[in-house]
Amino acid sequence: MKKIEFGEILNIYEYEKVREQKRREIIETKKKRRLFLGDLVHLVFENRDTVWFQIQEMIRAERMVRDEEIQQEIDIYNELIPEKNQLSITMFIEIPDEQERKRLLPKLVGIHDHLWFHIGNKHSIRAVADEKSERDYQYGKAAVVHFLKLNLTPEQVKDFAELPVRVEINHPNYKAMVEMPEEVKAELVKDLQSE
C-alpha cells in the first residue's frame, strides 16, 4: 500500500474546511475495519485513509506549521500503513474506570504477544507487535494501545480471502475469539491485495 506523501497533507486552514466531512467518512470507514474481542479489547485495521486522518488530526492538535515537523509526523505514521501481504493493526485496551484500569493492566502484560489469526483449519499466524510493546514487560503493566502487523504468505492471503477467519487472544488472563465478519474481511482482502 502506497505511503502518505507530504503533498497529500493539507495545511491547518484547508483541513479545517473539510475536517467534519473527513471525520464522518473515517467513522464509516472504521466501522468496517473494527473487530471487538471480548469486553476490553478492540482492533482497528489501518489503511491509507485512517493513517492520513491521524496525521491531519495530529497536525491540527499540535498546531504544526513547519514542514520538518509535518514530515516527521508523516514518517512516524507511515509505519502504520501495511505492505503487500500484510495487515496493520492497532489494538486498544479499553477500561474506562481508572481504578479498574490500575488493577487490570498489570495482569495484561504481554497481551500483544497473544493475538492470533486462524485461517480455516490451515493456518494459525501470530501478529507481531512493534518494539514499543516490549516496554510492557519493563513497566509491569500493559499499554492501552499496541501497534501490530500480521505478515502472510501469498498462499495465506489466498486462503484468507476464501476461508473463514477467526481472531483470538489467548493471554493467560484474557481469552477471546471471534469469527471475522464478512464486511471486515472484505476490507482486509483489499488491503492484502493492494500494491
Side-chain angles (χ1 to χ4, degrees):
M1 198 175 289
K2 190 169 164 285
K3 303 293 186 186
I4 305 289
E5 295 177 3
F6 187 88
E8 296 175 75
I9 299 300
L10 302 175
N11 66 43
I12 294 171
Y13 175 72
E14 293 300 322
Y15 179 60
E16 212 55 55
K17 292 180 191 176
V18 298
R19 180 174 184 255
E20 196 50 42
Q21 173 199 337
K22 292 293 184 187
R23 196 180 69 75
R24 283 193 301 269
E25 289 172 11
I26 288 299
I27 288 169
E28 287 307 308
T29 297
K30 284 189 175 182
K31 281 182 187 174
K32 296 181 278 188
R33 304 181 69 80
R34 186 178 310 251
L35 191 64
F36 291 89
L37 281 161
D39 296 335
L40 303 181
V41 175
H42 85 268
L43 310 177
V44 173
F45 296 90
E46 306 289 355
N47 70 359
R48 283 188 101 250
D49 295 334
T50 64
V51 171
W52 179 88
F53 183 75
Q54 287 180 60
I55 293 169
Q56 290 288 174
E57 286 293 301
M58 282 302 296
I59 291 168
R60 179 181 186 268
E62 300 292 327
R63 310 307 293 167
M64 292 180 195
V65 294
R66 292 178 38 235
D67 289 356
E68 50 279 4
E69 288 178 321
I70 293 168
Q71 186 60 56
Q72 186 175 8
E73 287 302 304
I74 294 168
D75 294 343
I76 289 167
Y77 279 97
N78 265 338
E79 291 297 312
L80 295 180
I81 295 178
E83 304 288 336
K84 186 174 173 66
N85 298 334
Q86 185 180 70
L87 295 175
S88 180
I89 307 153
T90 303
M91 173 192 280
F92 296 94
I93 301 171
E94 294 190 36
I95 308 168
D97 181 73
E98 186 179 349
Q99 292 306 315
E100 191 69 357
R101 198 166 43 250
K102 284 180 182 173
R103 187 180 75 75
L104 287 177
L105 289 178
K107 295 179 179 184
L108 297 176
V109 169
I111 194 167
H112 59 275
D113 286 330
H114 295 271
L115 179 64
W116 290 84
F117 288 73
H118 305 286
I119 303 170
N121 293 320
K122 290 179 72 174
H123 313 281
S124 290
I125 306 118
R126 186 173 67 86
V128 179
D130 73 0
E131 65 283 349
K132 291 186 210 97
S133 289
E134 294 307 305
R135 294 181 192 152
D136 284 15
Y137 295 108
Q138 295 169 311
Y139 297 147
K141 67 176 185 176
V144 294
V145 179
H146 294 276
F147 303 102
L148 302 101
K149 295 280 176 35
L150 184 71
N151 299 301
L152 303 175
T153 65
E155 179 196 0
Q156 291 167 339
V157 168
K158 181 179 177 298
D159 289 340
F160 189 101
E162 296 171 2
L163 298 172
V165 176
R166 287 167 295 125
V167 184
E168 176 185 25
I169 294 177
N170 66 359
H171 186 274
N173 296 319
Y174 190 85
K175 298 190 183 314
M177 187 181 308
V178 296
E179 184 154 333
M180 185 177 285
E182 283 303 315
E183 182 181 46
V184 175
K185 192 168 122 173
E187 285 293 305
L188 303 186
V189 167
K190 287 189 253 178
D191 290 359
L192 288 167
Q193 295 173 344
S194 72
E195 294 297 327

